[in-house]
Amino acid sequence: MKTNDVILQTASKVVFFIIILFAIHLFFAGHYHPGGGFVGGLMTSGAIVLLLLAYDIKTVSQGFPIDYKILIGVGLLFAAGTAAGALLFNVPLLTHAFGDFNLPLFGKTSLHTAMLFDTGVYLVVIGVTMTIIQTIGESE
Amino acid sequence: MTNLLILPILIPLMTAIVLIFLAKWVMVQRVVSVISTIGTLVASIILLLTVKKEGIQTVDVSSWQAPFGITLVSDMLSVLLVTTTSLITLCVIIYSFRSIGKKREQFYYYSIIQFMLVGVNGAFTTGDIFNLFVFFEVMLMSSYVLIVIGGTKIQLRESIKYILVNVISSAIFVVAVAFLYSVIGSLNMADISKRIAEVGQLPILTVIAVLFLIVFGLKGAIFPLYFWLPGSYHAPPVPVLALFGSLLTKVGVYSILRTYSLFFYHNQAFTHELLQILAILTIIVGAIGAIAYWDVKKIIIYNIIIAVGVLTFGISLATEESIKGTIFYLIHDMIIKAALFLLIGVMIKITGTSNLRKMGGLIKKYPLLGWTFLVATFGLAGIPPLSGFVGKFLIVRAGLAEGAYVGALIVLLSSLFVLYSVIKIFMNGFWRSPQDYPGEEKQPVHFLWMPGAILVLVSIVYGVGAEGMYPIISQATEALIDPTIYIDAVLKE
């Protein structure tokens, strides 16, 4: 008899978005509150893992047609690029810049290049976690 | 340029990242990794010239002042090691083209090698004890991958041992740093040294010194902690083995040299004597192993242990002369070990076995390979015009001057055992009656011989030009003998 996962699947569709929103909140809160790229990334991959539990690897990879190994590379490029960007201004590696900007929708926002570095961390964490889980899941 | 000393770390890092995207295109990977490694080598040579002219270079990463941020420090010792590392990595990468195989190459092999270069160069350059730990981990993680990549049975078995030992030693490293931080309250190496000098070496600091010795001894294979090395190094393919044998243990030796000359030099009676006893035992164990085996890989692997013993003996004497000798020998040993591994790699390729009893008569068909190997063995044993001589000579002389007669004698005797063990390879592998080996015509012998020959050539130049190297080595020694030079350069006082 084939099992029917309709409750699990419907529930995870809703919960997935809540987790993703929480993950993004954690990621952006990092500078002033607990949170940051690492937990944010882990939470995001947690959301994808929930989908993997409810559906199967094939369906989820259709939903997210990403090669997670490439994602690791992109994340590393972000982080290392932010670090190396300091070389252009002839200041020591990883020196960050920041300032307050008036953005159209958000109003007065303080932006910091540490954010770019954190984006790198975020992407690498997602990439690594998902690569590990997918390769273990796929191998027989 | 403020960031010059970061380039030997940054270039391989960027290359490693770019190579992740290029995993499928093997030719592109080869070209990119060779070009970037040449770039690393050039950057480190420029850095070497700068340090020679202007003294110790420092960068306060992210513009935080010295004890509060991470500081990268290039004194003469670290820049010499960085240059040697880059050179060896370049030769190993070229060697890999025709020997490692497409399957491994497509599986991020070159990327991992670049990550390893990041770790080793970073460990040599950093001025922060916790950052040293992080670079150790970068180096070790890459070495885990390199030891297991390909997934043959022996590799899987040995990588489990290797990872287990290194995870434990890394945990002890963290504990040691935690102890040191709770006593001293700083992680910057120059600042730690200054504060230890202010409070004197309390008994707890001597305990921490021994804890550090255990950690770095596990990484660098000192006497009771060497047990994992012969098995683990026997498993991976030859180019990986050459990288491991010439770089990984030497990072451990460098760390002992750095911590024992910068932090724990106040109570030498205990720590340095302990180090000396362990060094002598290391040499003896290595010598026994080197003459016992008939497997070419194993013989050279035990020679690593002998060299680590000689180096730590030099460190334990802690006089100006012995440190000079240690640095001379350290650089010589990195180059010559890489060369020897690459050359026996060619022998293994030709004969299809690493068992010495099944080889023979290679000199008939491959005279160039034979004579290169002979020169390398003489260099390893320390026959005067070649590179191993000056270092050992200085160490022995310092040993005699300090009254460490047993140690000096054992260092001298160890040379005989080293010579015997490698000449055994030469006499059995190259002399005797020639044999036919299946598939030997297909092997790219000349291509594989070249990187090894380049390294042998460098070591000859290094040995013959010892006179020219002497002022550079002296400059490297100054900062180790007198820590205030290092501290002043970092804390800018």
Side-chain angles (χ1 to χ4, degrees):
Chain A
M1 197 186 84
K2 207 175 166 232
T3 50
N4 193 338
D5 292 338
V6 72
I7 295 178
L8 177 64
Q9 292 182 345
T10 318
S12 8
K13 267 185 210 162
V14 181
V15 174
F16 172 77
F17 285 103
I18 301 173
I19 299 177
I20 286 281
L21 282 179
F22 184 50
I24 293 173
H25 169 74
L26 276 179
F27 171 64
F28 280 105
H31 203 85
Y32 293 112
H33 302 283
F38 187 77
V39 264
L42 219 51
M43 208 74 176
T44 311
S45 36
I48 304 175
V49 169
L50 180 66
L51 285 188
L52 278 174
L53 287 175
Y55 298 89
D56 55 309
I57 289 182
K58 227 177 176 180
T59 322
V60 176
S61 64
Q62 273 168 359
F64 300 95
I66 309 167
D67 184 350
Y68 291 105
K69 291 193 274 304
I70 298 294
L71 198 64
I72 300 174
V74 174
L76 284 173
L77 263 190
F78 260 98
T82 315
L87 264 64
L88 296 178
F89 304 96
N90 204 23
V91 284
L93 190 88
L94 271 168
T95 304
H96 288 285
F98 58 92
D100 291 328
F101 297 93
N102 264 316
L103 298 178
L105 208 58
F106 296 94
K108 191 169 172 240
T109 320
S110 46
L111 294 177
H112 198 295
T113 46
M115 187 76 201
L116 289 173
F117 192 87
D118 233 20
T119 314
V121 175
Y122 180 79
L123 294 176
V124 170
V125 170
I126 297 176
V128 169
T129 325
M130 293 316 295
T131 310
I132 293 173
I133 290 171
Q134 269 196 345
T135 40
I136 294 177
E138 277 168 358
S139 70
E140 292 294 315
Chain B
M1 193 176 153
T2 26
N3 282 303
L4 178 64
L5 80 92
I6 296 169
L7 289 182
I9 307 171
L10 194 64
I11 296 174
L13 177 63
M14 282 302 189
T15 320
I17 297 170
V18 169
L19 288 174
I20 293 178
F21 297 105
L22 304 174
K24 281 180 196 133
W25 298 282
V26 172
M27 277 317 288
V28 185
Q29 282 200 64
R30 290 177 181 172
V31 173
V32 169
S33 43
V34 163
I35 290 175
S36 91
T37 316
I38 290 174
T40 314
L41 183 60
V42 171
S44 46
I45 290 172
I46 295 173
L47 179 60
L48 189 125
L49 296 176
T50 317
V51 172
K52 188 170 180 249
K53 211 163 70 186
E54 295 166 15
I56 298 175
Q57 300 283 309
T58 63
V59 167
D60 296 328
V61 173
S62 45
S63 308
W64 292 101
Q65 259 204 345
F68 305 112
I70 291 171
T71 312
L72 298 178
V73 188
S74 263
D75 64 346
M76 200 38 140
L77 172 62
S78 71
V79 75
L80 271 174
L81 293 172
V82 165
T83 314
T84 318
T85 305
S86 310
L87 175 73
I88 290 169
T89 312
L90 180 64
C91 291
V92 169
I93 287 175
I94 294 173
Y95 185 92
S96 304
F97 288 171
R98 302 292 290 274
S99 83
I100 198 79
K102 272 245 159 51
K103 267 211 180 118
R104 288 190 169 106
E105 283 177 305
Q106 278 178 339
F107 225 87
Y108 305 100
Y109 173 75
Y110 293 114
S111 187
I112 302 295
I113 287 212
Q114 296 292 333
F115 273 121
M116 183 141 155
L117 187 58
V118 174
V120 176
N121 278 354
F124 286 144
T125 312
T126 187
D128 181 289
I129 195 79
F130 196 76
N131 202 230
L132 178 70
F133 169 76
V134 174
F135 275 123
F136 256 105
E137 286 306 300
V138 172
M139 175 184 94
L140 288 172
M141 299 255 174
S142 329
S143 73
Y144 300 156
V145 181
L146 285 178
I147 206 173
V148 82
I149 192 172
T152 58
K153 198 172 169 189
I154 179 175
Q155 282 180 300
L156 293 173
R157 191 182 65 217
E158 294 304 333
S159 66
I160 288 177
K161 291 181 199 164
Y162 181 71
I163 293 171
L164 199 63
V165 166
N166 277 302
V167 166
I168 291 169
S169 81
S170 295
I172 304 175
F173 196 171
V174 175
V175 173
V177 171
F179 273 136
L180 187 64
Y181 186 70
S182 69
V183 176
I184 295 297
S186 177
L187 290 174
N188 183 295
M189 274 148 74
D191 199 33
I192 293 172
S193 171
K194 202 177 99 182
R195 293 186 186 198
I196 289 179
E198 277 164 13
V199 295
Q201 195 164 333
L202 308 166
I204 182 74
L205 282 170
T206 307
V207 174
I208 295 169
V210 175
L211 210 52
F212 270 113
L213 182 62
I214 293 173
V215 173
F216 297 136
L218 264 168
K219 313 274 187 202
I222 293 180
F223 162 60
L225 309 166
Y226 72 97
F227 53 87
W228 54 273
L229 186 134
S232 297
Y233 278 21
H234 196 257
V238 167
V240 175
L241 175 58
L243 266 190
F244 281 20
S246 59
L247 303 182
L248 294 194
T249 50
K250 306 305 181 295
V251 181
V253 173
Y254 164 80
S255 305
I256 294 175
L257 179 57
R258 188 59 90 194
T259 49
Y260 272 56
S261 66
L262 193 59
F263 301 167
F264 309 116
Y265 58 91
H266 301 281
N267 183 13
Q268 294 191 350
F270 183 76
T271 50
H272 286 57
E273 196 150 314
L274 178 68
L275 190 61
Q276 189 166 340
I277 294 167
L278 293 182
I280 292 170
L281 289 171
T282 311
I283 299 174
I284 294 173
V285 167
I288 292 173
I291 55 172
Y293 283 93
W294 279 83
D295 181 303
V296 280
K297 272 189 188 175
K298 275 263 159 68
I299 293 173
I300 312 286
I301 286 170
Y302 274 100
N303 272 302
I304 300 177
I305 299 177
I306 300 179
V308 168
V310 173
L311 289 168
T312 40
F313 179 70
I315 297 171
S316 75
L317 293 171
T319 63
E320 193 178 345
E321 197 171 35
S322 80
I323 297 288
K324 242 177 230 169
T326 309
I327 297 172
F328 251 115
Y329 198 72
L330 184 58
I331 291 161
H332 143 78
D333 192 64
M334 287 168 81
I335 297 173
I336 205 79
K337 282 283 149 55
L340 277 173
F341 276 120
L342 294 183
L343 290 174
I344 63 161
V346 185
M347 291 171 66
I348 293 172
K349 272 275 173 198
I350 295 169
T351 58
T353 172
S354 64
N355 187 344
L356 204 47
R357 289 204 172 93
K358 291 181 187 157
M359 295 180 179
L362 291 178
I363 199 95
K364 279 263 160 53
K365 274 188 196 160
Y366 311 99
L368 267 180
L369 177 66
W371 297 122
T372 322
F373 187 81
L374 187 68
V375 172
T377 59
F378 284 166
L380 183 71
I383 288 177
L386 297 167
S387 63
F389 171 69
V390 188
K392 232 175 221 174
F393 174 69
L394 288 172
I395 291 175
V396 168
R397 208 166 69 170
L400 293 177
E402 285 292 293
Y405 298 112
V406 181
L409 190 70
I410 290 200
V411 170
L412 278 179
L413 281 179
S414 78
S415 291
L416 275 182
F417 285 100
V418 168
L419 187 63
Y420 170 73
S421 68
V422 278
I423 279 297
K424 189 165 88 178
I425 299 180
F426 182 76
M427 288 183 22
N428 290 290
F430 287 96
W431 289 354
R432 295 201 311 198
S433 54
Q435 304 175 25
D436 280 327
Y437 305 100
E440 70 177 299
E441 283 81 18
K442 277 181 257 160
Q443 299 301 341
V445 173
H446 282 287
F447 186 89
L448 294 179
W449 164 79
M450 197 182 58
I454 293 173
L455 285 175
V456 172
L457 193 69
V458 170
S459 95
I460 293 172
V461 172
Y462 179 69
V464 176
E467 192 84 38
M469 285 300 290
Y470 197 78
I472 298 177
I473 304 281
S474 302
Q475 196 183 346
T477 315
E478 274 168 24
L480 290 170
I481 290 299
D482 184 6
T484 50
I485 299 174
Y486 186 93
I487 296 169
D488 289 347
V490 175
L491 300 177
K492 312 219 166 50
E493 280 162 353

Short mmCIF file of all heavy atoms in Angstrom, two decimals, chain A residues 46-94:
data_model
loop_
_atom_site.label_atom_id
_atom_site.label_comp_id
_atom_site.label_asym_id
_atom_site.label_seq_id
_atom_site.Cartn_x
_atom_site.Cartn_y
_atom_site.Cartn_z
N GLY A 46 17.82 24.24 6.82
CA GLY A 46 16.84 23.46 7.59
C GLY A 46 15.49 23.45 6.91
O GLY A 46 14.81 22.41 6.84
N ALA A 47 15.11 24.62 6.37
CA ALA A 47 13.83 24.70 5.67
C ALA A 47 13.83 23.79 4.45
O ALA A 47 12.83 23.08 4.19
CB ALA A 47 13.56 26.14 5.25
N ILE A 48 14.94 23.79 3.71
CA ILE A 48 15.00 22.94 2.51
C ILE A 48 14.98 21.46 2.92
O ILE A 48 14.37 20.63 2.25
CB ILE A 48 16.25 23.27 1.67
CG1 ILE A 48 16.24 24.77 1.33
CG2 ILE A 48 16.27 22.47 0.38
CD1 ILE A 48 17.48 25.23 0.61
N VAL A 49 15.64 21.16 4.05
CA VAL A 49 15.64 19.77 4.51
C VAL A 49 14.22 19.32 4.85
O VAL A 49 13.83 18.17 4.60
CB VAL A 49 16.58 19.61 5.72
CG1 VAL A 49 16.38 18.25 6.38
CG2 VAL A 49 18.02 19.75 5.29
N LEU A 50 13.44 20.25 5.39
CA LEU A 50 12.03 19.91 5.69
C LEU A 50 11.31 19.50 4.40
O LEU A 50 10.56 18.50 4.38
CB LEU A 50 11.34 21.11 6.32
CG LEU A 50 9.87 20.89 6.67
CD1 LEU A 50 9.74 19.85 7.77
CD2 LEU A 50 9.20 22.18 7.07
N LEU A 51 11.56 20.26 3.33
CA LEU A 51 10.95 19.89 2.05
C LEU A 51 11.46 18.52 1.60
O LEU A 51 10.70 17.71 1.07
CB LEU A 51 11.28 20.94 0.99
CG LEU A 51 10.51 22.26 1.08
CD1 LEU A 51 10.80 23.10 -0.13
CD2 LEU A 51 9.02 22.00 1.20
N LEU A 52 12.75 18.26 1.80
CA LEU A 52 13.31 16.97 1.41
C LEU A 52 12.62 15.84 2.16
O LEU A 52 12.44 14.74 1.62
CB LEU A 52 14.82 16.94 1.70
CG LEU A 52 15.73 17.59 0.66
CD1 LEU A 52 17.16 17.59 1.18
CD2 LEU A 52 15.67 16.83 -0.64
N LEU A 53 12.27 16.09 3.43
CA LEU A 53 11.61 15.05 4.21
C LEU A 53 10.19 14.81 3.69
O LEU A 53 9.74 13.67 3.60
CB LEU A 53 11.54 15.47 5.68
CG LEU A 53 12.85 15.41 6.47
CD1 LEU A 53 12.65 15.95 7.87
CD2 LEU A 53 13.36 13.98 6.53
N ALA A 54 9.52 15.91 3.32
CA ALA A 54 8.13 15.77 2.91
C ALA A 54 8.03 15.23 1.48
O ALA A 54 7.13 14.45 1.17
CB ALA A 54 7.42 17.11 3.01
N TYR A 55 8.94 15.68 0.61
CA TYR A 55 8.91 15.22 -0.79
C TYR A 55 10.13 14.32 -1.01
O TYR A 55 10.60 13.70 -0.07
CB TYR A 55 8.92 16.41 -1.74
CG TYR A 55 7.69 17.28 -1.57
CD1 TYR A 55 7.68 18.33 -0.65
CD2 TYR A 55 6.55 17.05 -2.32
CE1 TYR A 55 6.57 19.10 -0.47
CE2 TYR A 55 5.42 17.83 -2.15
CZ TYR A 55 5.43 18.86 -1.24
OH TYR A 55 4.33 19.62 -1.07
N ASP A 56 10.64 14.24 -2.23
CA ASP A 56 11.85 13.47 -2.45
C ASP A 56 12.90 14.36 -3.10
O ASP A 56 12.62 15.50 -3.47
CB ASP A 56 11.57 12.24 -3.31
CG ASP A 56 10.93 12.62 -4.62
OD1 ASP A 56 9.91 13.37 -4.57
OD2 ASP A 56 11.42 12.22 -5.67
N ILE A 57 14.11 13.84 -3.24
CA ILE A 57 15.24 14.65 -3.70
C ILE A 57 14.96 15.25 -5.07
O ILE A 57 15.24 16.41 -5.34
CB ILE A 57 16.52 13.80 -3.73
CG1 ILE A 57 16.97 13.51 -2.30
CG2 ILE A 57 17.63 14.52 -4.48
CD1 ILE A 57 18.23 12.73 -2.19
N LYS A 58 14.34 14.45 -5.95
CA LYS A 58 14.11 14.90 -7.32
C LYS A 58 13.17 16.12 -7.35
O LYS A 58 13.46 17.13 -8.00
CB LYS A 58 13.48 13.76 -8.12
CG LYS A 58 14.14 13.53 -9.47
CD LYS A 58 13.48 12.34 -10.13
CE LYS A 58 14.03 12.13 -11.52
NZ LYS A 58 13.36 10.95 -12.12
N THR A 59 12.07 16.02 -6.64
CA THR A 59 11.09 17.11 -6.64
C THR A 59 11.73 18.39 -6.11
O THR A 59 11.55 19.47 -6.67
CB THR A 59 9.89 16.76 -5.74
OG1 THR A 59 9.60 15.38 -5.91
CG2 THR A 59 8.69 17.61 -6.08
N VAL A 60 12.46 18.26 -5.00
CA VAL A 60 13.06 19.44 -4.39
C VAL A 60 14.10 20.06 -5.31
O VAL A 60 14.18 21.28 -5.45
CB VAL A 60 13.67 19.09 -3.03
CG1 VAL A 60 14.37 20.28 -2.44
CG2 VAL A 60 12.61 18.60 -2.09
N SER A 61 14.86 19.21 -6.01
CA SER A 61 15.88 19.79 -6.89
C SER A 61 15.24 20.43 -8.12
O SER A 61 15.84 21.28 -8.77
CB SER A 61 16.91 18.73 -7.31
OG SER A 61 16.28 17.75 -8.07
N GLN A 62 13.98 20.03 -8.44
CA GLN A 62 13.26 20.78 -9.49
C GLN A 62 12.84 22.15 -8.97
O GLN A 62 12.86 23.14 -9.68
CB GLN A 62 12.04 19.99 -9.95
CG GLN A 62 12.37 19.01 -11.06
CD GLN A 62 11.25 18.03 -11.32
OE1 GLN A 62 10.21 18.07 -10.65
NE2 GLN A 62 11.46 17.14 -12.27
N GLY A 63 12.45 22.18 -7.70
CA GLY A 63 12.07 23.45 -7.08
C GLY A 63 13.25 24.40 -6.94
O GLY A 63 13.12 25.60 -7.17
N PHE A 64 14.39 23.87 -6.56
CA PHE A 64 15.60 24.69 -6.43
C PHE A 64 16.65 24.16 -7.40
O PHE A 64 17.48 23.34 -7.01
CB PHE A 64 16.17 24.64 -5.01
CG PHE A 64 15.22 25.13 -3.97
CD1 PHE A 64 14.42 24.23 -3.28
CD2 PHE A 64 15.15 26.47 -3.66
CE1 PHE A 64 13.54 24.67 -2.31
CE2 PHE A 64 14.27 26.91 -2.70
CZ PHE A 64 13.46 26.01 -2.03
N PRO A 65 16.63 24.58 -8.65
CA PRO A 65 17.59 24.01 -9.60
C PRO A 65 18.98 24.62 -9.41
O PRO A 65 19.50 25.31 -10.28
CB PRO A 65 16.99 24.37 -10.96
CG PRO A 65 16.18 25.60 -10.68
CD PRO A 65 15.77 25.59 -9.26
N ILE A 66 19.57 24.38 -8.24
CA ILE A 66 20.88 24.97 -7.92
C ILE A 66 21.87 23.83 -7.73
O ILE A 66 21.54 22.82 -7.10
CB ILE A 66 20.82 25.77 -6.62
CG1 ILE A 66 19.66 26.76 -6.65
CG2 ILE A 66 22.13 26.50 -6.38
CD1 ILE A 66 19.37 27.34 -5.29
N ASP A 67 23.09 24.00 -8.27
CA ASP A 67 24.18 23.10 -7.90
C ASP A 67 24.82 23.68 -6.64
O ASP A 67 25.43 24.74 -6.66
CB ASP A 67 25.20 23.02 -9.04
CG ASP A 67 26.30 22.02 -8.72
OD1 ASP A 67 26.34 21.56 -7.56
OD2 ASP A 67 27.08 21.69 -9.62
N TYR A 68 24.62 23.00 -5.52
CA TYR A 68 25.06 23.59 -4.25
C TYR A 68 26.58 23.71 -4.15
O TYR A 68 27.10 24.52 -3.40
CB TYR A 68 24.51 22.77 -3.08
CG TYR A 68 23.02 22.92 -2.94
CD1 TYR A 68 22.16 21.91 -3.33
CD2 TYR A 68 22.48 24.09 -2.43
CE1 TYR A 68 20.80 22.05 -3.22
CE2 TYR A 68 21.11 24.24 -2.32
CZ TYR A 68 20.27 23.23 -2.71
OH TYR A 68 18.93 23.39 -2.60
N LYS A 69 27.31 22.90 -4.94
CA LYS A 69 28.76 23.03 -4.93
C LYS A 69 29.18 24.37 -5.53
O LYS A 69 30.11 25.01 -5.06
CB LYS A 69 29.40 21.87 -5.70
CG LYS A 69 29.23 20.54 -4.97
CD LYS A 69 30.10 19.47 -5.54
CE LYS A 69 29.59 18.70 -6.70
NZ LYS A 69 28.37 17.99 -6.75
N ILE A 70 28.45 24.78 -6.58
CA ILE A 70 28.71 26.09 -7.17
C ILE A 70 28.38 27.19 -6.15
O ILE A 70 29.06 28.21 -6.06
CB ILE A 70 27.88 26.28 -8.46
CG1 ILE A 70 28.29 25.24 -9.50
CG2 ILE A 70 28.05 27.68 -9.02
CD1 ILE A 70 29.69 25.40 -10.02
N LEU A 71 27.29 26.93 -5.38
CA LEU A 71 26.89 27.91 -4.37
C LEU A 71 28.01 28.14 -3.35
O LEU A 71 28.24 29.28 -2.91
CB LEU A 71 25.63 27.42 -3.66
CG LEU A 71 24.83 28.47 -2.90
CD1 LEU A 71 24.29 29.50 -3.87
CD2 LEU A 71 23.70 27.84 -2.12
N ILE A 72 28.73 27.06 -2.98
CA ILE A 72 29.87 27.21 -2.08
C ILE A 72 30.88 28.17 -2.69
O ILE A 72 31.37 29.09 -2.04
CB ILE A 72 30.55 25.85 -1.80
CG1 ILE A 72 29.58 24.88 -1.16
CG2 ILE A 72 31.77 26.03 -0.91
CD1 ILE A 72 30.12 23.48 -1.00
N GLY A 73 31.18 27.93 -3.99
CA GLY A 73 32.15 28.79 -4.68
C GLY A 73 31.71 30.24 -4.70
O GLY A 73 32.50 31.15 -4.42
N VAL A 74 30.42 30.46 -4.99
CA VAL A 74 29.90 31.84 -5.04
C VAL A 74 30.04 32.50 -3.67
O VAL A 74 30.49 33.64 -3.54
CB VAL A 74 28.43 31.85 -5.50
CG1 VAL A 74 27.86 33.25 -5.41
CG2 VAL A 74 28.32 31.33 -6.92
N GLY A 75 29.67 31.75 -2.63
CA GLY A 75 29.77 32.29 -1.28
C GLY A 75 31.20 32.65 -0.92
O GLY A 75 31.48 33.74 -0.38
N LEU A 76 32.13 31.74 -1.25
CA LEU A 76 33.54 32.02 -0.96
C LEU A 76 34.01 33.24 -1.72
O LEU A 76 34.78 34.06 -1.20
CB LEU A 76 34.39 30.81 -1.32
CG LEU A 76 34.34 29.63 -0.36
CD1 LEU A 76 35.10 28.46 -0.93
CD2 LEU A 76 34.95 30.02 0.98
N LEU A 77 33.53 33.37 -2.98
CA LEU A 77 33.91 34.54 -3.77
C LEU A 77 33.45 35.82 -3.09
O LEU A 77 34.19 36.81 -3.03
CB LEU A 77 33.31 34.45 -5.17
CG LEU A 77 34.19 33.91 -6.28
CD1 LEU A 77 33.51 34.13 -7.61
CD2 LEU A 77 35.55 34.58 -6.29
N PHE A 78 32.21 35.80 -2.58
CA PHE A 78 31.69 36.97 -1.85
C PHE A 78 32.61 37.33 -0.70
O PHE A 78 33.06 38.47 -0.56
CB PHE A 78 30.28 36.67 -1.32
CG PHE A 78 29.18 37.23 -2.15
CD1 PHE A 78 28.52 36.46 -3.07
CD2 PHE A 78 28.82 38.56 -2.01
CE1 PHE A 78 27.51 36.97 -3.84
CE2 PHE A 78 27.81 39.10 -2.77
CZ PHE A 78 27.15 38.29 -3.70
N ALA A 79 32.90 36.33 0.15
CA ALA A 79 33.68 36.60 1.36
C ALA A 79 35.09 37.05 1.02
O ALA A 79 35.58 38.09 1.49
CB ALA A 79 33.70 35.35 2.24
N ALA A 80 35.76 36.25 0.16
CA ALA A 80 37.14 36.58 -0.17
C ALA A 80 37.21 37.87 -0.98
O ALA A 80 38.15 38.67 -0.83
CB ALA A 80 37.78 35.43 -0.95
N GLY A 81 36.19 38.10 -1.82
CA GLY A 81 36.16 39.34 -2.59
C GLY A 81 36.03 40.56 -1.71
O GLY A 81 36.70 41.57 -1.92
N THR A 82 35.17 40.45 -0.67
CA THR A 82 35.04 41.56 0.27
C THR A 82 36.38 41.82 0.97
O THR A 82 36.79 42.97 1.15
CB THR A 82 33.98 41.23 1.34
OG1 THR A 82 32.85 40.69 0.71
CG2 THR A 82 33.61 42.46 2.13
N ALA A 83 37.02 40.73 1.36
CA ALA A 83 38.32 40.88 2.03
C ALA A 83 39.33 41.52 1.10
O ALA A 83 40.03 42.47 1.47
CB ALA A 83 38.82 39.52 2.49
N ALA A 84 39.37 41.03 -0.15
CA ALA A 84 40.39 41.51 -1.07
C ALA A 84 40.06 42.88 -1.62
O ALA A 84 40.94 43.59 -2.11
CB ALA A 84 40.55 40.52 -2.22
N GLY A 85 38.78 43.29 -1.53
CA GLY A 85 38.40 44.60 -2.01
C GLY A 85 39.20 45.71 -1.34
O GLY A 85 39.46 46.76 -1.95
N ALA A 86 39.61 45.47 -0.10
CA ALA A 86 40.40 46.46 0.62
C ALA A 86 41.72 46.76 -0.09
O ALA A 86 42.27 47.86 0.03
CB ALA A 86 40.67 45.98 2.04
N LEU A 87 42.21 45.77 -0.87
CA LEU A 87 43.47 45.97 -1.57
C LEU A 87 43.39 47.12 -2.57
O LEU A 87 44.37 47.83 -2.80
CB LEU A 87 43.88 44.69 -2.30
CG LEU A 87 44.85 43.76 -1.59
CD1 LEU A 87 44.21 43.22 -0.32
CD2 LEU A 87 45.24 42.61 -2.48
N LEU A 88 42.19 47.31 -3.15
CA LEU A 88 42.03 48.36 -4.15
C LEU A 88 42.27 49.74 -3.54
O LEU A 88 42.69 50.67 -4.22
CB LEU A 88 40.62 48.30 -4.75
CG LEU A 88 40.27 47.04 -5.53
CD1 LEU A 88 38.84 47.12 -6.02
CD2 LEU A 88 41.22 46.85 -6.70
N PHE A 89 41.94 49.88 -2.26
CA PHE A 89 42.09 51.18 -1.61
C PHE A 89 43.40 51.28 -0.84
O PHE A 89 43.61 52.21 -0.07
CB PHE A 89 40.91 51.42 -0.67
CG PHE A 89 39.59 51.31 -1.37
CD1 PHE A 89 38.86 50.13 -1.34
CD2 PHE A 89 39.08 52.39 -2.09
CE1 PHE A 89 37.66 50.03 -2.01
CE2 PHE A 89 37.88 52.29 -2.75
CZ PHE A 89 37.16 51.10 -2.71
N ASN A 90 44.27 50.27 -1.01
CA ASN A 90 45.57 50.23 -0.36
C ASN A 90 45.48 50.36 1.17
O ASN A 90 46.24 51.08 1.80
CB ASN A 90 46.50 51.31 -0.92
CG ASN A 90 47.95 50.93 -0.73
OD1 ASN A 90 48.27 49.74 -0.57
ND2 ASN A 90 48.83 51.91 -0.71
N VAL A 91 44.47 49.70 1.74
CA VAL A 91 44.40 49.58 3.20
C VAL A 91 44.52 48.09 3.53
O VAL A 91 44.34 47.26 2.64
CB VAL A 91 43.07 50.13 3.75
CG1 VAL A 91 43.08 51.63 3.75
CG2 VAL A 91 41.89 49.60 2.97
N PRO A 92 44.85 47.75 4.80
CA PRO A 92 45.04 46.33 5.11
C PRO A 92 43.82 45.49 4.76
O PRO A 92 42.69 45.98 4.78
CB PRO A 92 45.27 46.33 6.63
CG PRO A 92 45.88 47.64 6.90
CD PRO A 92 45.26 48.59 5.93
N LEU A 93 44.10 44.23 4.44
CA LEU A 93 43.07 43.26 4.07
C LEU A 93 41.92 43.30 5.07
O LEU A 93 42.12 43.50 6.26
CB LEU A 93 43.70 41.87 4.07
CG LEU A 93 42.88 40.74 3.49
CD1 LEU A 93 43.13 40.64 2.02
CD2 LEU A 93 43.27 39.44 4.15
N LEU A 94 40.70 43.10 4.57
CA LEU A 94 39.50 42.97 5.40
C LEU A 94 39.07 44.27 6.08
O LEU A 94 38.18 44.27 6.90
CB LEU A 94 39.68 41.91 6.49
CG LEU A 94 39.29 40.48 6.09
CD1 LEU A 94 39.79 39.51 7.13
CD2 LEU A 94 37.80 40.35 5.96
#
